[in-house]
Amino acid sequence: MKIGMIGLGKMGANMTERLLKGGHEVVAYDLSVDALKAAASKGAATASTLAELTGKLDSPKAVWVMLPAGKVTDSTVEELAGMFSPGDVIVDGGNSNYKEWIALSEKIASSGVGLVDAGTSGGVWGLTEGYCLMVGGAKESVAVVEPALLTLAPEGGYAHVGPVGAGHFVKMVHNGIEYGLMQAYAEGFEIVKKSLAFPGMDLYAIAEAWRSGTVIRSWLLDLIAEGLKKDAELEGVQPYVEDTGEGRWTLDAAIEESVPAPVIAEALFARFQSRGEATYADKLLAMMRNEFGGHAIKTE
């Protein structure tokens, strides 16, 4: 299929390349001339304006928006909806707040343009490993972009989870769970590192052993091992752990639903704490975020 890609950051650029390798035609748009040149070198067509991008697409038109959540995504979607026709589809692959996405869908409903929210997980590894896609939207809208979804996702890694907003909601909860898993690993490794009975244990060797056959093996543990192989002391990594909203929104939903979520809550609060008196566990958390998502780390 032919699809537009708006936003060629670390996720959008790799998704563009994966779509091209899967045999799709991609029309790319970004404010960065260098990003457009890089996409063109991979085989994408490019556009210098949203209007030009829209004109290069076939009906029903389909565009994937891969921009930071909030005003920039919302304004881009509204501008596209004004240029699209009924039956055309706009996908948001960012981490938008599901409530705000539902409100935006209602705002442009009269245009007949379909909105699809694709909660996207995979980080910088998605190009080779594929992106898990948690998708919300009307069935007819999802069907328009499903060929692209199937290419972007690994086998078994795509699910249409419900109506508009459901994809962002499921991705939000996914990220809340991620907070808890990361915190448990970070605390465990700090306990080992500070052992009074067995000082100086090889954290990398332990991570490698845990990766093989244990009940706590996971992709996160694979990334921990890779990071510790590079630098077990995490020298130069400032123990400042950012949060990007999804953990907070997950707790908001838990409160609204009267669901106890103490692990996710404590993991979020631990990130807040890292910005004051910090620990080795905080360094490990910062390293994990960099390993799986390419998130920037603060250096000392």
Side-chain angles (χ1 to χ4, degrees):
M1 67 174 294
K2 181 180 285 189
I3 187 169
M5 179 66 71
I6 298 174
L8 298 173
K10 59 193 174 189
M11 292 285 282
N14 282 351
M15 295 173 83
T16 294
E17 186 173 349
R18 187 172 173 91
L19 286 167
L20 290 168
K21 288 181 176 179
H24 301 283
E25 298 178 68
V26 180
V27 182
Y29 170 77
D30 194 278
L31 295 177
S32 167
V33 174
D34 289 341
L36 288 175
K37 288 180 179 178
S41 72
K42 302 293 184 180
T46 61
S48 57
T49 65
L50 293 182
E52 183 183 355
L53 178 144
T54 300
K56 290 185 175 182
L57 297 175
D58 302 327
S59 294
K61 295 179 172 62
V63 167
W64 192 294
V65 179
M66 207 66 194
L67 298 172
K71 291 182 179 180
V72 64
T73 290
D74 294 351
S75 61
T76 300
V77 170
E78 288 192 60
E79 186 174 352
L80 286 169
M83 294 185 283
F84 275 19
S85 301
D88 293 342
V89 176
I90 302 170
V91 182
D92 174 26
N95 288 319
S96 294
N97 184 294
Y98 75 97
K99 292 182 178 179
E100 295 175 0
W101 186 249
I102 291 171
L104 182 60
S105 175
E106 293 171 349
K107 185 176 182 179
I108 70 166
S110 61
S111 70
V113 174
L115 292 191
V116 171
D117 41 295
T120 305
S121 181
V124 295
W125 295 89
L127 173 59
T128 55
E129 303 298 322
Y131 302 88
C132 176
L133 300 175
M134 299 144 267
V135 177
K139 289 183 179 180
E140 56 271 22
S141 297
V142 173
V144 170
V145 295
E146 190 164 61
L149 300 175
L150 291 171
T151 295
L152 289 170
E155 185 176 357
Y158 151 58
H160 182 193
V161 297
V164 170
H168 284 326
F169 180 83
V170 173
K171 176 57 162 53
M172 174 193 77
V173 176
H174 162 281
N175 283 23
I177 294 169
E178 180 184 289
Y179 276 40
L181 290 172
M182 292 174 67
Q183 187 65 33
Y185 279 127
E187 292 174 6
F189 275 96
E190 181 159 32
I191 292 168
V192 173
K193 179 176 175 59
K194 292 186 175 180
S195 172
L196 298 176
F198 308 103
M201 283 191 284
D202 187 335
L203 298 183
Y204 167 63
I206 291 167
E208 279 291 304
W210 282 352
R211 290 176 58 213
S212 304
T214 74
V215 73
I216 64 167
R217 64 188 185 274
S218 72
W219 185 41
L220 272 177
L221 188 54
D222 295 343
L223 297 174
I224 290 171
E226 185 64 29
L228 292 175
K229 182 180 181 180
K230 298 173 185 174
D231 177 13
E233 293 299 318
L234 305 180
E235 295 290 343
V237 177
Q238 184 174 334
Y240 182 104
V241 189
E242 189 60 82
D243 72 284
T244 52
E246 297 88 349
R248 303 183 189 214
W249 301 341
T250 302
L251 288 182
D252 287 342
I255 292 168
E256 290 175 2
E257 299 161 6
S258 298
V259 174
V263 172
I264 295 173
E266 287 295 334
L268 176 62
F269 296 153
R271 294 193 176 197
F272 297 163
Q273 184 177 346
S274 77
R275 299 160 203 178
E277 181 181 353
T279 64
Y280 181 82
D282 296 322
K283 286 190 174 187
L284 199 75
L285 285 166
M287 177 269 281
M288 273 189 268
R289 295 182 78 248
N290 178 257
E291 286 290 331
F292 72 72
H295 300 289
I297 56 175
K298 293 180 180 291
T299 55
E300 297 173 331

